[in-house]
Amino acid sequence: MAMAIVVASARAGLARRGAAGWGAGALVLLLLLAVPLLITNQYHLAIIKQLGITVILTVSFNLIFGYTGQLSLAHATFYGIGAYGPAILITKLGWPIWLAVPVTLALCAAIAVVVGIPTLRLAGYYLAVATLALATLAEVVVWQWQDLTGGAYGIQNIDPVVIFGTPLKGANYYYVILGSVLLVLLLQRNLMASRIGRAFLAIRESDSAAAAVGIGVAYYKVLAFAISAVLAATAGVVYTFDYLYVNPFMFGLENTFLWLFMVLVGGLGSAAGTVVGTILLGLIPEVFAFVGEYYILVYGLVMILVVLFFPTGLIGIAARLGALRPGRQGASTLAPGGELAPATERG
Amino acid sequence: MDWETIVQLLFASFQTGSIYALLALSYVVILNATGILNFAQGECLMLGAMAGVALLVGARLPYPVMFVAAIAVVALLSVLSERMVVRPLVRRGAPLIALILVLLGVMMVFRHATGLILGKRPQFAEAPFGLEPIKLTSSLLILPQTIFIYLTVALVFLAIWFFFERTRVGMMVKIVGIDAEAARLVGVNMELVTVLAFAAGGAIAAIGGLLMAPLSAASFYMGLTPGVKGFVAMVIGGVGSPVGALLGGIVLALVETLAASYLSSAYADGIAFLVLLLMLFFRPAGIMGSLATGGR
């Protein structure tokens, strides 16, 4: 538990340039690498592994929603496809893993492009409802098309990944997850530091202003959507080879709401905030235990409260308290007057 | 397929289509007056159905009283959600995304608070005219409820038309829909218009729920699918057009029925997504819309 807080604050501290930041980062990395040695309880390790997968999901959600300002409600769909794709291709069609995974990811990118092109050239709620409809369709298909998906039973007995004769399971697989998380974080950081990332942020602030400076708004929106879809699918792939079993509940809308919630609470438009929100909410399910299956009610209420009173999330609160230099953590997605958001929030 | 089966399918399609049309209309009314797409409309349908069941079965109110009371309750909830949650954001000039999020939150709250308070068990409302099918010919049946649905929906659309075209208040709302700034400048009461729009939207959706309740069980999770389909119907018909709402609802239901008979009824729910995508690809303005009025 203390480690989680260290990780969170150290990741946030990476925003600070200078030796202190890098030193903290190296320490965090060492700690992360040592986790399977420090934590021997398999149940706890499984929770941490799941947390890693969730971080990939929330970071990719932050990419499309926090940075580009487009609300997609089909995140669980891409996650589910990423999980089911290799499962189906490998167990039912006998494909090798190095073919099944890229094909699945390409499929998700294709779906994102096909859905994105007509919807992203229209107002914000079109994507929201279209992805909602897509999520509904996907759920129907995965539950009903039993021959393909195994219906309620899902797909079981997937073979684990084997490297040099050793199957990657349990503690070994932790490193696969850690590697994936770090890769995704690195990718996201580089992306956002590039021209593409700046285009995303510009689009978030104002479609018309972005277009006025020559940014191909539709192109970048679809790009953001496709990238986030592929990353969500990656999380699904990582999940499949960890649990070796996929079930239709992965496609549920509640999952999407959960990730939305984590990103919102942590700080929309801030990668560090997203990670903090994910870890925090991922490690405290007990808080919601007493409401039972109506936890979504709590989400809804807190979501309303956050949007009304804390639009910048936890990271925004921390920034205001002087704990962080604002830097790229400019969570201005929900700040009033999109076009008028202060420029100091960025860069 | 003999003509009687076809007619039977048409009856069913028009029935379902009418409900979609009502939901689409509820979106249209709020969208035109405020520029906001109210995600919680599907839940208003659900609340109408649940309130109806609660008042009919629990409080044993006579049907007409229950009908009016349920509509009033939902309209009130709709206005409350606008006042407490939407208004502060709009006043602050928050971006559209914040409104979408907050309405999503309202949707979740309505849905799960209802589940918490009224329970998870689906319940049927009593049909006001009984469930005995009427025989039109030897093999052509129609339920009294179906006729009731046709008539009520037609009445609602007529009432809306009358409201917008023949009453002063209605024209005020219409003007806001055409140009909000201009309306404000000529002294239209914007607050009143917004309240009316949300109340009307909630009421219309609630009527849809009340009409559905005797036929398909009322449960706290019933609102999402009609909510999505109502939106698709609106897009088919032309965003912002009441006539389009009616057309769109019927077209969507017809397509679903076709899909159900040729593919499988299990996938019928998913066809709405494909229809939406096709519409957005080829004619985002919808049947009635021109790109000038649609695509807000």
Side-chain angles (χ1 to χ4, degrees), chain B residues 7-283:
Chain B
V7 173
Q8 205 77 65
L9 282 176
L10 279 177
F11 281 162
S13 302
F14 273 78
Q15 175 184 284
T16 322
S18 310
I19 308 286
Y20 295 162
L22 278 186
L23 260 203
L25 183 66
S26 74
Y27 283 128
V28 165
V29 166
I30 296 184
L31 191 62
N32 277 352
T34 65
I36 298 171
L37 184 78
N38 187 357
F39 276 95
Q41 284 307 297
E43 304 312 313
C44 288
L45 175 142
M46 178 275 293
L47 286 169
M50 297 293 274
V53 168
L55 292 173
L56 205 58
V57 176
R60 300 236 145 264
L61 292 180
Y63 197 87
V65 177
M66 174 279 290
F67 205 85
V68 173
I71 296 175
V73 164
V74 179
L76 188 68
L77 283 171
S78 185
V79 171
L80 268 175
S81 72
E82 190 272 333
R83 296 268 98 190
M84 284 173 36
V85 151
V86 173
R87 177 130 288 275
L89 286 178
V90 169
R91 195 178 291 142
R92 237 186 269 169
L96 182 67
I97 209 83
L99 283 173
I100 295 178
L101 278 181
V102 114
L103 285 168
L104 256 183
V106 170
M107 178 182 113
M108 291 187 219
V109 169
F110 276 170
R111 186 175 156 105
H112 291 270
T114 308
L116 196 67
I117 298 174
L118 293 179
K120 299 195 297 175
R121 197 169 45 92
Q123 290 184 300
F124 282 93
E126 294 153 32
F129 302 107
L131 286 168
E132 202 52 47
I134 302 173
K135 277 176 162 258
L136 294 175
T137 75
S138 58
S139 50
L140 205 54
L141 302 168
I142 192 166
L143 287 172
Q145 186 69 13
T146 308
I147 304 182
F148 182 47
I149 291 178
Y150 295 161
L151 291 175
T152 311
V153 172
L155 213 75
V156 169
F157 272 89
L158 262 166
I160 288 290
W161 171 84
F162 186 81
F163 177 71
F164 279 124
E165 301 297 323
R166 293 283 183 272
T167 68
R168 270 197 73 179
V169 182
M171 296 217 223
M172 246 172 40
V173 179
K174 208 167 79 147
I175 291 170
V176 172
I178 296 174
D179 188 336
E181 266 315 301
R184 191 178 294 127
L185 287 172
V186 298
V188 170
N189 186 340
M190 304 299 284
E191 300 245 339
L192 179 66
V193 165
T194 308
V195 167
L196 278 178
F198 269 82
I204 295 171
I207 294 178
L210 285 166
L211 291 173
M212 268 180 77
L215 296 174
S216 46
S219 57
F220 78 96
Y221 50 83
M222 71 186 283
L224 184 64
T225 311
V228 171
K229 293 186 183 178
F231 179 82
V232 178
M234 180 174 72
V235 170
I236 294 176
V239 174
S241 158
V243 175
L246 186 58
L247 285 174
I250 306 230
V251 167
L252 179 62
L254 285 171
V255 171
E256 280 188 347
T257 307
L258 266 171
S261 39
Y262 283 114
L263 300 172
S264 146
S265 54
Y267 294 100
D269 270 356
I271 214 80
F273 166 69
L274 294 171
V275 174
L276 176 65
L277 218 55
L278 283 170
M279 282 306 297
L280 290 179
F281 253 120
F282 295 112
R283 195 172 160 88

Side-chain angles (χ1 to χ4, degrees), chain A residues 52-53 56-57 60 75 78-83 86 101-102 104-106 108 173 176-177 179-181 183-184 187 226-241 250:
Chain A
I53 294 176
I56 300 179
L57 285 160
S60 64
H75 226 59
F78 293 117
Y79 173 56
I81 296 179
V101 170
T104 304
L105 295 181
C108 283
Y173 201 79
V176 175
I177 295 182
S180 311
V181 172
L183 215 76
V184 169
L187 180 86
I227 294 178
S228 82
V230 169
L231 290 177
T234 308
V237 170
V238 171
Y239 173 95
T240 300
F241 292 108
M250 299 177 74

Side-chain angles (χ1 to χ4, degrees), chain A residues 152-179:
Chain A
Y153 296 105
I155 300 179
Q156 297 150 14
N157 298 322
I158 304 169
D159 293 323
V161 177
V162 177
I163 300 257
F164 303 123
T166 345
L168 293 176
K169 296 172 101 167
N172 289 338
Y173 201 79
Y174 167 82
Y175 291 107
V176 175
I177 295 182
L178 180 63

Side-chain angles (χ1 to χ4, degrees), chain A residues 65 69 71 114 119 121 123 125-126 129-130 133-134 137 140 144-145 257 293-294 296 303-304 308 333-337, chain B residues 31 39 85 92-93 95 97 100-101 105 108-109 112 115-116 120 224 228 231 239 266-267 270 273 276 280-281 296:
Chain A
F65 188 39
L71 180 60
V114 167
T119 53
R121 57 183 179 189
Y125 45 76
Y126 278 92
V129 184
L134 172 63
L137 172 67
V140 167
Q144 298 293 337
W145 197 346
F257 287 151
E293 62 246 68
Y294 297 104
I296 298 195
M303 188 149 98
I304 295 175
L308 281 177
T333 312
L334 297 176
Chain B
L31 191 62
F39 276 95
V85 151
R92 237 186 269 169
I97 209 83
I100 295 178
L101 278 181
M108 291 187 219
V109 169
H112 291 270
L116 196 67
K120 299 195 297 175
L224 184 64
V228 171
F231 179 82
V239 174
Y267 294 100
F273 166 69
L276 176 65
L280 290 179
F281 253 120
R296 261 205 208 222

Side-chain angles (χ1 to χ4, degrees), chain A residues 15 55 59 69 74 80 84 89 143 162 172 205 231 233 246 279 293 299 325:
Chain A
V55 166
V59 165
Y84 267 75
L89 291 172
W143 281 95
V162 177
N172 289 338
E205 293 308 309
L231 290 177
V246 292
I279 294 179
E293 62 246 68
Y299 285 172
R325 182 177 73 89

